[in-house]
Amino acid sequence: MEDRRVGETFRRLMSSLMTFDYVVVFAYRGKERPIDLYSTFDAKDHVLFVSLYQAGPYLLDPFYHAACAPKPGVWRMRELAPDRFFSSEYYRTYYVQTGLAEEVGFFVPVSGQATVVLSLMRREATGSFSAAEFALLKKAEALVAALVRHHWADLDRRFDAALARTGRGRRKMAHPPADGVWRHLNLTEREASIIELVLQGHSSESIGLRLGISTGTVKVHRRNVYRKLGISSQTQLLSLYINSLGH
């Protein structure tokens, strides 16, 4: 009940500044399943934006990676997305289903390693946020951060409780679900790092810069992984990844 009350306060505040189609608030901590604190979706959209997202696609979401960094502040999705995100298989098979023109998020680190992300979403028919509207959001940043830290300061306890309910204690989470996928698929640590970045939407050039290796080396590793997994496309890679989550 408290989550909904705080979420409604945030929604009303934002509504006084501008129009948008959806609000969703997630809490993130490491690679653990995000906690859905508040959203304005109907039942059908809730399945896509929340239930399906929590099942695994969050691990490829630019907002998730910015929350883990963390990168406090107000950010547009396109500011955080990798260079090939909008042509990635994740974008084409999952994100495009949302029908969003743009997503903007307030990123607020709270207790421990948890970060709360409050997202405002606009569908294609509504259009992107203008520069003036984004400037208004920036002005509201301190107020939103204070609201979050006052009401959602003890999220570590809730994450710990969620882990306990799924039968996984802190010690067992040394290898969280995403890492388990790579072990299940018998990839080396370097291969796993490269393929995870591919799935997030990074080009070979971007991956090389992040890992300190040449573009050619990235491509060799990528070919080796495809051969090892018996696949030939990023479509197959994403399907294999999602289907393997939780093994």
Side-chain angles (χ1 to χ4, degrees), residues 29 32 113 156-157 159-160 163-164 168-175:
R29 187 177 75 172
E32 296 166 47
Q113 297 178 320
D156 280 325
R157 177 182 56 81
F159 274 108
D160 291 341
L163 289 178
R168 292 196 299 264
R170 277 291 195 177
R171 187 171 299 174
K172 293 182 181 179
M173 281 301 291
H175 297 291

Side-chain angles (χ1 to χ4, degrees), residues 1-243:
M1 191 66 179
E2 174 73 4
D3 289 348
R4 173 150 292 277
R5 187 175 66 81
V6 180
E8 282 295 310
T9 299
F10 172 72
R11 183 191 62 77
R12 289 195 298 270
L13 173 62
M14 295 297 102
S15 293
S16 70
L17 299 178
M18 65 197 64
T19 60
F20 45 84
D21 295 298
Y22 305 120
V23 174
V24 63
V25 183
F26 279 110
Y28 298 94
R29 187 177 75 172
K31 291 185 176 179
E32 296 166 47
R33 179 186 176 95
I35 297 174
D36 171 26
L37 297 174
Y38 171 81
S39 67
T40 60
F41 306 118
D42 61 22
K44 180 182 177 182
D45 284 331
H46 191 274
V47 171
L48 174 63
F49 284 93
V50 179
S51 302
L52 180 58
Y53 177 80
Q54 288 176 308
Y58 74 88
L59 293 162
L60 305 176
D61 181 14
F63 272 24
Y64 156 73
H65 288 280
C68 291
K71 290 174 70 73
V74 185
W75 298 94
R76 297 180 189 263
M77 173 67 79
R78 63 176 180 263
E79 293 178 304
L80 301 173
D83 59 343
R84 296 286 174 80
F85 175 73
F86 294 101
S87 61
S88 69
E89 195 59 36
Y90 166 76
Y91 179 82
R92 292 196 298 266
T93 60
Y94 173 75
Y95 197 86
V96 77
Q97 295 182 61
T98 65
L100 296 180
E102 187 169 45
E103 183 176 358
V104 170
F106 290 85
F107 291 72
V108 185
V110 288
S111 62
Q113 297 178 320
T115 293
V116 175
V117 180
L118 308 93
S119 295
L120 301 178
M121 299 173 167
R122 279 185 171 176
R123 299 188 70 89
E124 293 289 351
T126 309
S128 300
F129 293 89
S130 68
E133 288 171 326
F134 191 72
L136 275 178
L137 295 177
K138 293 287 287 184
K139 289 181 180 179
E141 179 186 344
L143 180 59
V144 171
L147 175 71
V148 168
R149 291 188 177 118
H150 179 73
H151 291 284
W152 282 318
D154 193 23
L155 288 173
D156 280 325
R157 177 182 56 81
R158 293 174 64 171
F159 274 108
D160 291 341
L163 289 178
R165 285 195 300 272
T166 57
R168 292 196 299 264
R170 277 291 195 177
R171 187 171 299 174
K172 293 182 181 179
M173 281 301 291
H175 297 291
D179 296 343
V181 171
W182 307 131
R183 294 198 316 281
H184 171 68
L185 297 176
N186 296 317
L187 300 188
T188 67
E189 185 175 344
R190 175 49 60 89
E191 288 171 342
S193 297
I194 289 172
I195 291 304
E196 189 162 296
L197 290 169
V198 167
L199 287 171
Q200 290 169 28
H202 288 273
S203 66
S204 294
E205 293 77 8
S206 175
I207 294 171
L209 288 172
R210 289 175 68 93
L211 300 182
I213 58 180
S214 72
T215 301
T217 299
V218 172
K219 292 179 179 178
V220 168
H221 279 298
R222 187 170 175 173
R223 285 195 298 270
N224 288 342
V225 169
Y226 278 33
R227 184 172 60 251
K228 181 183 289 188
L229 299 179
I231 60 176
S232 59
S233 70
Q234 193 178 138
T235 302
Q236 292 173 302
L237 178 64
L238 179 62
S239 177
L240 190 62
Y241 175 75
I242 296 297
N243 289 337

